[in-house]
Amino acid sequence: MAYAASGLICLSNTSIQSVWLLRTVDALGAADATGYITDASTAGSGKGAAGRGLKLGDIIFVQTVDSVTAPTSITAQSTGFVSAINATTGVGTVIFNVTTAP
């Protein structure tokens, strides 16, 4: 599967740092991949779709769920942070602090 923008929810937003929840049907390893979040920030030079406004260092709670829009189970979760945002494409990369999975 691929990243679903509807699964990324801002829980707290300040100009310095924000906290996000990312629900995905993908394994945690997929969400930990470079550029997984395709709409992290607005792409530079007006190219690409407008983004979500993630900032470097933002905290992200990631949950692997059975459905992004109406989850009934969580099979894994982790906490991570935004480690990179590509200014040209707007994609973001999350690095996990600790991974917990059954």
Side-chain angles (χ1 to χ4, degrees), residues 22-39:
L22 173 60
R23 289 183 170 157
T24 180
V25 296
D26 293 332
L28 291 176
D32 195 27
T34 300
Y36 180 76
I37 300 174
T38 57
D39 60 351

Side-chain angles (χ1 to χ4, degrees), residues 7-43:
L8 184 62
I9 304 156
C10 186
L11 303 174
S12 174
N13 187 19
T14 71
S15 61
I16 299 169
Q17 189 172 38
S18 300
V19 178
W20 299 82
L21 170 63
L22 173 60
R23 289 183 170 157
T24 180
V25 296
D26 293 332
L28 291 176
D32 195 27
T34 300
Y36 180 76
I37 300 174
T38 57
D39 60 351
S41 75
T42 304

Side-chain angles (χ1 to χ4, degrees), residues 20-101:
W20 299 82
L21 170 63
L22 173 60
R23 289 183 170 157
T24 180
V25 296
D26 293 332
L28 291 176
D32 195 27
T34 300
Y36 180 76
I37 300 174
T38 57
D39 60 351
S41 75
T42 304
S45 305
K47 298 177 183 174
R52 304 299 295 276
L54 276 75
K55 300 175 288 299
L56 287 178
D58 280 2
I59 298 166
I60 300 184
F61 298 107
V62 181
Q63 297 175 337
T64 299
V65 294
D66 58 336
S67 168
V68 170
T69 56
T72 60
S73 67
I74 300 172
T75 56
Q77 72 177 23
S78 185
T79 304
F81 63 94
V82 177
S83 65
I85 298 176
N86 184 310
T88 303
T89 63
V91 301
T93 299
V94 178
I95 292 180
F96 292 153
N97 296 324
V98 176
T99 301
T100 303

